[in-house]
Amino acid sequence: MRPSVRFVASLLSLAVTLPAAGAEAQATSRCPAVASRKSDLAALAMRDTASLKPSGWGEPAASVVFVNATCVGVQIQWRDYYGRYHTHATLAAGDSTSLSTYVTHHWVARVTRGAPLALFVVPAGGGRAVVRAAAAAPAGRRS
């Protein structure tokens, strides 16, 4: 049985009106308002978590300013001593926040309820961590 022309046309119009991808794809575009901000902390790829020692116990205190330089909301999550993630902040596009933490602690920025974008390890003295879309995993893949 062949589908009707009207049915096929409605499917085609539905495909045209749906976005090509979700928030993860939007994060790959640059937001001009925040694209030029510099980061003191290097953004590591999520695949690097396996080679990192866990966040240290009893390390010196530090402060990190997280800046969302993507065009979508991101969550800032602390990776605890056992590899579990705890959300400490949610930032809209272009927003920033300062968090108190400790040297060697791991922080992950991920698209809100989505894919991870970057991993930051807090150095002595803390600093600024700019979340950029360039570090994003390809759409559909999770690290």
Side-chain angles (χ1 to χ4, degrees):
M1 175 180 253
R2 295 180 59 185
S4 72
V5 173
R6 180 177 287 167
F7 175 75
V8 172
S10 67
L11 284 178
L12 289 174
S13 68
L14 177 64
V16 171
T17 58
L18 289 175
E24 294 162 7
Q26 291 175 10
T28 60
S29 63
R30 295 182 67 124
C31 289
V34 293
S36 63
R37 295 196 180 162
K38 294 185 181 183
S39 184
D40 299 331
L41 278 67
L44 305 173
M46 287 301 295
R47 66 179 171 271
D48 295 335
T49 57
S51 64
L52 289 175
K53 294 188 312 186
S55 293
W57 294 83
E59 298 292 339
S63 179
V64 177
V65 175
F66 290 93
V67 179
N68 180 4
T70 71
C71 294
V72 297
V74 297
Q75 290 178 324
I76 305 299
Q77 299 177 323
W78 174 57
R79 183 174 181 251
D80 73 13
Y81 314 104
Y82 307 104
R84 295 179 301 226
Y85 296 95
H86 305 274
T87 300
H88 282 258
T90 300
L91 302 175
D95 281 353
S96 64
T97 190
S98 179
L99 295 175
S100 296
T101 184
Y102 296 91
V103 173
T104 75
H105 279 202
H106 306 166
W107 290 88
V108 173
R110 71 175 64 240
V111 173
T112 303
R113 294 183 302 279
L117 297 173
L119 166 70
F120 298 96
V121 178
V122 179
R128 177 183 292 269
V130 179
V131 180
R132 300 189 192 286
R141 290 186 54 196
R142 304 260 181 210
S143 296

